[in-house]
Amino acid sequence: MSDRTITLRNPADDSVIQDVPLATVHDVDQAVIRAQAALPAWRDMAPNDRVKIMRRFAETIAAHAQELAELDTRNMGMPIGSSKWCADTAAEVIHYYAGAIDKHLGHTYPVAGGVTMTFHEPLGVVGLIVPWNFPVLIACWKLGPALACGNTVILKPAETTPLSAMRLGELALEAGIPEGVLQVVVGTGPEAGWRLVEHPMVRKIGFTGSTAVGKRIMAGGAEHLKRVTLELGGKSANIVFADADIETVAASAPGAVFDNSGQDCCSRSRIFVQRPIFDEFVELMIAETQKIVVGDPMDPATNMGPLFTRAHHDRVSSYLEGVTPTWTGSAPTGNGYWFPCTIIATSDITSRVCTEEIFGPILPVMTYSSMDEAIDYVNAHDRPLGLYYFGSDKAEEQRVLTRTVSGGVTVNDVVFHNAMEDLPFGGVGPSGMGNYHGADGFRTFSHMRAVYRQTGVDVAGMGGFKAPYGKATLKTLAKELKK
Ligand code: NAD
């Protein structure tokens, strides 16, 4: 990689894909100026016209879903079945927000002497900084609400996985999104990303990435009192109680842990199993994990591809130093950044594999005796993005839910609602700040402005009864009463 380009490599075989130029601070500044210039027309566009353009954008993404999926698969190794699902879902996300534009309603408030109305106004130029692990989908989770609210947007993908974002920028223009409304800037985090954070004309940063960078972005945003939404790292826990349907849990758990090679903020990356069923669960889990096909990510039959870069492969490997796994699966050998599914049954809940976000296919399975112990274990970790509860005692379930902290909870399933564009999603503490998806996406990317209109008339029911009928009518009513 030279100073001004990055060489992208295919993680399946280490071959060079292409060199991509990297944006400078000057490039970002130019993009901000273009975005600011494009803002009035996009902001003031009749809602129904914005609906039509966003619908066309969604349809264009859907029509190019296979192409976008192949770009992500070649660029970061996600199996093609998953990356196609991500691209299809990305189109659905844009549809969801397109359909909501002209239903983004304000309120009216009856107040003394007039009336107050609220309007959801765009924030202005918005910077979207996204990671490498779900390139096209995370970009669209943010693009949908940000554009629908009337903001103009600069999208900065991870410089290692920019290809689908670059294509999204072209598809937006093809779909009729005006020049300057959605720009894609490929650059490094400390240079291009940071410039978005510190540029005074950028009024909001929507960030998804690591907790360490999220902290910096929050501090940088403070300088300009800039809004930030942070979707950060996770170490989501599963709690499996002895009365759970363990065959079903063990059958679904491997996908939830090893999907995308474990490179998932919501990866169910630590499992606590109640002591009486621990050994049986580990056996079942190993048997089910053996079914995961690790191989060429372009092959539709593949369930798990390689890790996304060599550096990340080395980082994930470091978690096995001095550790003897309980079970290790198989993976291709050769030039790719291959890593097998690995299960570690352990009682040391303080070890690195149990406490750190590995972001790879290594699963610690631990045991506990009582509900209180399980709650303590879950709460001991500071990145509670998701929690997965498995058991059949409803009172126990309610106690666990009440006494644990997490961004979201799923009961008796491995689905985490971050995959659903219509439900709120967000972390707590070091796993994030602010919600997005669904209606929360609109709140995240708009400002609610109250307008008070003085009319000199108090509204009935709030300011007291003030002759709602004309005098003539009231006289007639009075005569009627006297009869
Ligand atoms: P990262 O924080 O290194 O990078 C994320 C983005 O921030 C990239 O575009 C990067 O270029 C940019 N960046 C880096 N330094 C920056 C800086 N100083 N200023 C501005 N921008 C900067 O994270 P990553 O390694 O790309 O992604 C993995 C992390 O993302 C994991 O911790 C994972 O849990 C998290 N993640 C969270 C969610 C969620 O929804 N909570 C989803 C996906 C990934």
Side-chain angles (χ1 to χ4, degrees), residues 190-421:
E191 190 169 4
W194 187 249
R195 183 60 188 153
L196 288 172
V197 175
E198 63 174 9
H199 198 300
M201 245 184 240
V202 176
R203 296 313 309 149
K204 156 105 199 186
I205 296 290
F207 173 78
T208 299
S210 62
T211 301
V213 175
K215 283 183 188 172
R216 282 207 220 145
I217 286 182
M218 191 164 177
E223 187 61 29
H224 299 283
L225 288 176
K226 187 171 297 194
R227 294 181 188 215
V228 294
T229 303
L230 306 173
E231 301 291 335
L232 308 177
K235 184 80 175 173
S236 298
N238 299 259
I239 309 180
V240 186
F241 278 87
D243 60 359
D245 172 0
I246 62 167
E247 277 87 9
T248 306
V249 180
S252 60
V257 173
F258 300 113
D259 184 49
N260 205 16
S261 305
Q263 303 167 127
D264 179 353
C265 57
C266 302
S267 170
R268 299 35 149 190
S269 53
R270 48 191 185 127
I271 302 189
F272 297 103
V273 185
Q274 206 163 17
R275 206 167 297 282
I277 56 165
F278 182 73
D279 292 340
E280 187 188 354
F281 181 85
V282 172
E283 264 176 43
L284 284 169
M285 179 83 195
I286 290 171
E288 292 293 339
T289 307
Q290 271 165 345
K291 297 177 188 167
I292 291 184
V293 179
V294 185
D296 177 6
M298 281 296 184
D299 183 341
T302 293
N303 305 123
M304 191 175 110
L307 293 171
F308 100 111
T309 58
R310 185 172 297 291
H312 187 58
H313 179 275
D314 294 347
R315 193 186 147 273
V316 172
S317 304
S318 76
Y319 281 93
L320 293 186
E321 282 163 20
V323 172
T324 309
T326 309
W327 177 83
T328 305
S330 61
T333 51
N335 288 340
Y337 319 136
W338 299 103
F339 202 99
C341 296
T342 304
I343 294 177
I344 302 167
T346 175
S347 54
D348 178 7
I349 65 152
T350 60
S351 63
R352 277 181 77 212
V353 286
C354 299
T355 56
E356 294 181 17
E357 182 183 36
I358 301 173
F359 233 52
I362 299 177
L363 173 71
V365 189
M366 297 154 279
T367 189
Y368 66 93
S369 299
S370 64
M371 184 184 70
D372 284 342
E373 201 177 7
I375 290 170
D376 283 349
Y377 287 172
V378 169
N379 287 342
H381 201 276
D382 68 349
R383 288 184 200 169
L385 190 53
L387 173 65
Y388 304 84
Y389 174 95
F390 299 92
S392 49
D393 182 330
K394 295 286 168 262
E396 197 163 59
E397 171 197 316
Q398 190 56 46
R399 271 183 226 113
V400 171
L401 266 48
T402 310
R403 290 171 52 194
T404 49
V405 178
S406 69
V409 185
T410 300
V411 176
N412 287 328
D413 203 334
V414 292
V415 172
F416 193 43
H417 49 272
N418 70 320
M420 301 175 195
E421 62 271 9

